[in-house]
Amino acid sequence: MSHFTAVIADDHAIVRSGLKAALENETLVDGHIIEVVAEAGNGLDAIGTVKQHRPDLLVLDVSMPMAGGVEVLVETRRWAPDTRIIVFTGISAMGKVSELVEAGVDGLFSKAEDNQGLYQHVPMILQGGRYISPFFTSILDNAPQRSALTDRERQILNLIVAGQSNKEISTHLGISAKTVDRHRTNLMQKLDVHSVAQLIAYSLREGLIDPAAEV
Amino acid sequence: MSHFTAVIADDHAIVRSGLKAALENETLVDGHIIEVVAEAGNGLDAIGTVKQHRPDLLVLDVSMPMAGGVEVLVETRRWAPDTRIIVFTGISAMGKVSELVEAGVDGLFSKAEDNQGLYQHVPMILQGGRYISPFFTSILDNAPQRSALTDRERQILNLIVAGQSNKEISTHLGISAKTVDRHRTNLMQKLDVHSVAQLIAYSLREGLIDPAAEV
DNA sequence: TTTGAAATGGGGGATTCACCTCATTCAGCA
DNA sequence: TGCTGAATGAGGTGAATCCCCCATTTCAAA
């Protein structure tokens, strides 16, 4: 029987309280005790809180104000390499799944899933294991090529979603409008869409781009 | 001291458990007791569950699969007129706020808010009161004209976001492509955007349209 | 009854998009 | 050392957008 500390980061207070209750529930197998020592409502707070508390466990949401889940994950790995990191996300960030796995997330759960998953797998994760919910494994298998966007393509996708025309993007990046056009064509081929509308809708729905990104 | 029944509808299990815990917490003022008799993970389930249980209180999320919060609200009003309805929503559905108020929601809370609001205002709502979080009142005051879209405009906005061209929309609705073009122009004027990209991004971000709507 | 908003549709024109082909540069890699 | 992928950019074409102009009909509110 051991005692673990945890930090929860989510921009919704009601989700934080739900996660806290689920984690601190005494019915965890093996008699583990988890204490939530701090909560954070945005990405920057989350990073600061992790640096301060260096918890055993960090529970993260992907989409948060100020800094996204991936950034918090990377920063946490730098400042608290022993902290186990699990991510809780909704369908709004499917495009981030492969990114999270590559960044070395220790656990990946869906918000739609039953809390049962937490009770079963968190102790194993705390002991060094890694768990990806079946909810996401199909995404990792089925669509590896879709998220294979280059940095430049992702950057231009952000500007397209921001509502900028090819000409505006070209002056913004200091390249020819024809090049932007080429990137746009490549993007639509890669993502298998046939109009700006579908491109934008798909990007926002799948969480492929960061709505608050600095471009 | 009275005993109330409640139904919770949200597509995220972790949110449901958080709400359930908050509602059933015994620290409610006036010694009220609330019992959560059922939960629903999508809009259709929510409607069925309400018809079956006719609870005193219905806690709703705006964005759910199968049927949105507004539809559930209207259906509930029809089948269980005495049920008090409170809506819990994130920033993703700001455009629905005025719609919810017009539909006669009894309580409106933000998911980002502290649970304190629940404890303070739910008993009052159960006794016939109505409460809109300050979080949303500014939206109602500042942007009344933006959401003043007509039914036809909203319908066409849905099809635009779905990626259909003017010609596709025209054949779909059995009207001229020129008329669709006119509606599109009106939409962009009303929403103060200058491209499809901005139109779509704005609509999705503000929750102005229903991503799962039947068109 | 008149006024106005909403929906319908046509003509026209400037601009932009979407998608071809073709070509160059440059970095990483077997 | 050649090869591949990424980024760059030109020329051209047909389609679609965006925004003016104009009009009619319907329907509800003043």
Side-chain angles (χ1 to χ4, degrees):
Chain A
M1 159 151 161
S2 7
H3 178 267
F4 293 103
T5 57
V7 165
I8 296 176
D10 193 300
D11 53 337
H12 289 157
I14 194 70
V15 175
R16 291 202 301 272
S17 70
L19 285 171
K20 181 182 163 101
L23 286 175
E24 295 190 333
N25 193 317
E26 76 278 19
T27 58
L28 277 178
V29 292
D30 300 352
H32 287 300
I33 292 178
I34 297 178
E35 181 198 357
V36 177
V37 292
E39 297 182 11
N42 65 61
L44 283 186
D45 276 359
I47 293 172
T49 308
V50 163
K51 283 186 190 175
Q52 184 189 342
H53 289 87
R54 295 177 162 272
D56 299 307
L57 183 66
L58 171 63
V59 182
L60 262 186
D61 185 22
V62 176
S63 54
M64 279 185 294
M66 313 296 283
V70 182
E71 288 88 335
V72 177
L73 197 157
V74 172
E75 281 298 300
T76 301
R77 279 273 180 270
R78 187 200 310 267
W79 296 100
D82 294 332
T83 294
R84 308 297 292 169
I85 305 173
I86 72 179
V87 168
F88 241 80
T89 188
I91 53 162
S92 54
M94 287 304 195
K96 294 282 184 186
V97 168
S98 47
E99 214 173 324
L100 286 165
V101 172
E102 283 163 22
V105 70
D106 298 307
L108 200 49
F109 298 87
S110 161
K111 279 182 182 172
E113 268 180 305
D114 202 82
N115 304 350
Q116 211 68 19
L118 270 184
Y119 302 138
Q120 288 178 2
H121 302 288
V122 164
M124 182 267 285
I125 290 172
L126 280 169
Q127 281 163 9
R130 180 167 293 187
Y131 174 77
I132 311 288
S133 162
F135 209 85
F136 299 108
T137 47
S138 61
I139 298 168
L140 291 171
D141 296 341
N142 292 347
Q145 75 290 350
R146 295 194 308 180
S147 52
L149 298 184
T150 64
D151 289 344
R152 197 55 150 177
E153 284 168 347
R154 202 180 304 270
Q155 186 181 23
I156 286 173
L157 180 56
N158 266 287
L159 292 164
I160 291 174
V161 174
Q164 296 198 17
S165 70
N166 283 355
K167 186 177 287 183
E168 286 171 327
I169 297 174
S170 72
T171 57
H172 189 293
L173 297 179
I175 60 179
S176 160
K178 270 297 178 183
T179 307
V180 180
D181 184 32
R182 152 98 324 154
H183 284 304
R184 183 191 288 258
T185 300
N186 291 340
L187 274 168
M188 295 209 289
Q189 270 190 0
K190 279 190 178 179
L191 301 180
D192 193 34
V193 296
H194 302 90
S195 68
V196 229
Q198 292 176 347
L199 183 67
I200 298 168
Y202 178 86
S203 305
L204 290 178
R205 231 182 328 255
E206 303 293 311
L208 227 60
I209 52 100
D210 189 355
E214 204 63 43
V215 280
Chain B
M1 160 153 163
S2 10
H3 178 268
F4 294 104
T5 57
V7 165
I8 297 176
D10 193 299
D11 54 337
H12 289 157
I14 194 70
V15 175
R16 291 202 302 273
S17 70
L19 285 171
K20 182 184 163 100
L23 285 175
E24 294 190 333
N25 193 316
E26 77 277 19
T27 59
L28 276 177
V29 292
D30 300 351
H32 288 300
I33 291 178
I34 298 178
E35 181 198 359
V36 176
V37 292
E39 298 182 9
N42 64 61
L44 283 186
D45 276 358
I47 294 172
T49 307
V50 163
K51 283 186 190 174
Q52 184 188 342
H53 288 88
R54 296 177 162 272
D56 300 308
L57 183 66
L58 170 62
V59 183
L60 262 186
D61 186 21
V62 177
S63 54
M64 279 185 296
M66 314 294 284
V70 182
E71 288 89 334
V72 178
L73 197 157
V74 172
E75 280 298 299
T76 301
R77 279 273 179 270
R78 185 199 311 267
W79 295 99
D82 293 332
T83 293
R84 308 297 291 169
I85 305 174
I86 71 179
V87 168
F88 241 81
T89 188
I91 53 162
S92 54
M94 288 304 196
K96 294 281 185 184
V97 168
S98 49
E99 214 174 324
L100 286 165
V101 172
E102 282 163 22
V105 69
D106 298 307
L108 200 49
F109 298 88
S110 162
K111 279 182 182 173
E113 268 180 306
D114 202 83
N115 303 349
Q116 210 67 19
L118 271 183
Y119 302 138
Q120 288 179 3
H121 302 289
V122 163
M124 182 266 284
I125 290 172
L126 280 170
Q127 281 163 8
R130 180 167 293 187
Y131 174 76
I132 312 288
S133 161
F135 209 85
F136 299 109
T137 46
S138 60
I139 298 170
L140 291 171
D141 295 341
N142 292 346
Q145 75 289 350
R146 295 194 307 179
S147 52
L149 299 185
T150 65
D151 289 344
R152 199 54 153 177
E153 284 169 346
R154 200 180 305 270
Q155 186 181 24
I156 285 173
L157 180 56
N158 266 286
L159 292 164
I160 291 174
V161 175
Q164 296 197 19
S165 70
N166 283 356
K167 185 177 289 182
E168 286 172 328
I169 296 174
S170 71
T171 58
H172 189 293
L173 297 179
I175 60 178
S176 159
K178 268 299 181 183
T179 307
V180 180
D181 185 30
R182 153 103 314 157
H183 283 304
R184 184 191 288 259
T185 300
N186 291 339
L187 274 169
M188 297 208 287
Q189 270 190 0
K190 278 189 178 180
L191 301 179
D192 193 33
V193 296
H194 303 89
S195 67
V196 229
Q198 293 176 348
L199 183 67
I200 297 168
Y202 178 86
S203 305
L204 291 177
R205 233 184 324 259
E206 302 293 311
L208 226 61
I209 53 100
D210 191 353
E214 204 62 43
V215 280

